[in-house]
Amino acid sequence: MSDQAPKPQTAESVSSTRYLVGRLWHDAIRNYIGWVVLAVLCMSVMAGTNAFSAYLMKPIVDDVFVAKNEAMLWPVGLLVIGTFMIKGFANYSQSMLMNHVGLRIIADTQNRLFTHLAHMNLNFFHRNPTGTLISRFTLDIHQMKVAVSNGLTGFGKDLLSLIGLIGVMFYQDWQLAFASFFAFPVAIYPIVRIGRRMRKVTANTQVELGLFTTVLTQTFQGIRVVKAYGMQAYEASRIADVVERIYKLNMKAARTREISRPIMETLGGGAIFVVIVYGGSRVIAETTTAGAFFSFLTALLMAYEPMKRLAGLNASMQQGLAGAERLYQLLDQQPEITDKPNARDLGKVFGAVSFDDVTFAYSDEVKALSNVSISIPAGKTVALVGPSGAGKSTILNLIPRFYDVDAGSISIDSTDIRDATLDSLFGNIALVSQEIMLFDDTVSANIAYGKGGASQDEVEHAARHAAAHDFITELPDGYDTIVGEQGFKLSGGQRQRLAIARAMLKDAPVLLLDEATSALDTESERHIQAALYELMEGRTTVVIAHRLSTIIDADLIYVIDQGRIVEQGAHGELLARGGLYKKLYELQFNDELAAELAVVSQG
């Protein structure tokens, strides 16, 4: 047996049942083969007891009811009790074993999928809505578990039971057995057709369920906007449309799945008809005993249930394989930005950052940056200024390799960041963004997210320097207060201070500040600006600021317009040149002055 995983396939081959089953074996089942073998042994015991209980009909009828042998009552009765006890324990054991295998496969696959997605690039998450990705963790993996656990259980238990019961039928009357088996080949074609339709319907249903999760996530996250604009009815109609499509697909799946029942019932009735007519005539002709006939009939009737389940198993398996197919399509996508084979660890850097003739575009149509060259000395503060959409945030996103440049290069301490390991690159950079990300956890945990294993003293030290300690201690549980999803229990300024505290705790040599004080009012900004200056001390800092007044002390200012560097220099120099920077500064100064005059007049 080869230990190599099946190689990634084309879209067409990935959808093949043979490929998916082989990959499920390699990725999911093989690791638990010992448990599966034990379960199969228990299934074998079950199959044996099923066959034996059918066989017992012969001595029950012939010895007890026909021959009226009283001495056989207790032995036969005890055999029946013992058989059903063994069958019950075997059934329990195989069920628990297969549940263990199925649930472990779910856990392992969810861990594997998250690890894989965590290493994907930002472009991937922009292309795939959150709800769709969440549905892969829940719906698709659950469907895969159905294919593995239920498939193995159904195939093993029902097939073994069927083999045992067929053996009893041949033992009692081989001619009658052959006569009653016409139903099997007739049932194969519709069962295969049903399975193919189930795979397609299930895949479409999974897509709609992913969309449903996405719409729900977006609506709940934006509930303030929904209410503010009175769009509850509109969102309800959007949800209703998706729910209706899911309902129709589920009904189609139910019709497809259940169509096998009338087929199997009709074929089963035909088989029993043959047995009664042909077998009854043989009993009347005394070529076989009534006990052998009833034993045969019991085995046939008992075989009918596992035969029906096996007929429906293909449809169930195809549902599971539809989930596995979507899952593997996701797992086979590789990150666009990865470590080179010979990538080296940067270690602790000084922090000199250099852009050399960098060109970058988010899409083929529009360039976000064109031939940008920037030099940021180690330990200095450089500000990026320009109109909205000029490319400032793009420059920040390129430094930690959230995206890779299309042309040119970016270096830290003269090392091209593409030659460094991503882990060492991320380890040397701290980011405070205008998009504040807080987790539904304690204040301490959110601050400590910047440094694994940080002590409480370190957390509080960072909070004090971020001007956050005072408001934290006033929270109901202090540092143990749960901030809620996206930190909804805190104000915008409080969330921003926690983000800054997180960056302070990380203590990285390169600091990226993207509108770091955008959520603060003027008074809060004054409080935190001193903390930011302390954080920036001795670090290479790249700043994008909404208020130009906050970056007048920067060592160097780059003015960006339409993806190009149009001016550079210190604050005073740029004002003296009378270019774009001066226009932006005067425009903002006039706006702020007008706002202050409005406040005074209202007072």
Side-chain angles (χ1 to χ4, degrees), residues 522 547 549 584-602:
T522 304
R547 298 185 182 95
S549 58
L584 293 172
Y585 185 80
E586 288 178 344
L587 180 63
Q588 191 174 105
F589 177 80
N590 290 333
D591 288 344
E592 291 176 356
L593 181 60
E596 289 178 8
L597 289 174
V599 172
V600 171
S601 64
Q602 289 174 1

Side-chain angles (χ1 to χ4, degrees), residues 236-291:
S237 68
R238 280 213 304 163
I239 293 293
D241 288 342
V242 180
V243 168
E244 185 65 19
R245 290 199 297 270
I246 293 172
Y247 161 76
K248 290 178 179 178
L249 285 168
N250 281 330
M251 281 302 300
K252 188 174 181 180
R255 286 194 299 270
T256 304
R257 183 172 53 249
E258 297 301 321
I259 194 65
S260 66
R261 294 187 184 276
I263 295 172
M264 293 307 299
E265 294 288 351
T266 302
L267 293 175
I272 293 172
F273 168 78
V274 170
V275 169
I276 291 174
V277 173
Y278 180 61
S281 64
R282 297 194 66 192
V283 173
I284 293 170
E286 296 185 351
T287 55
T288 187
T289 67

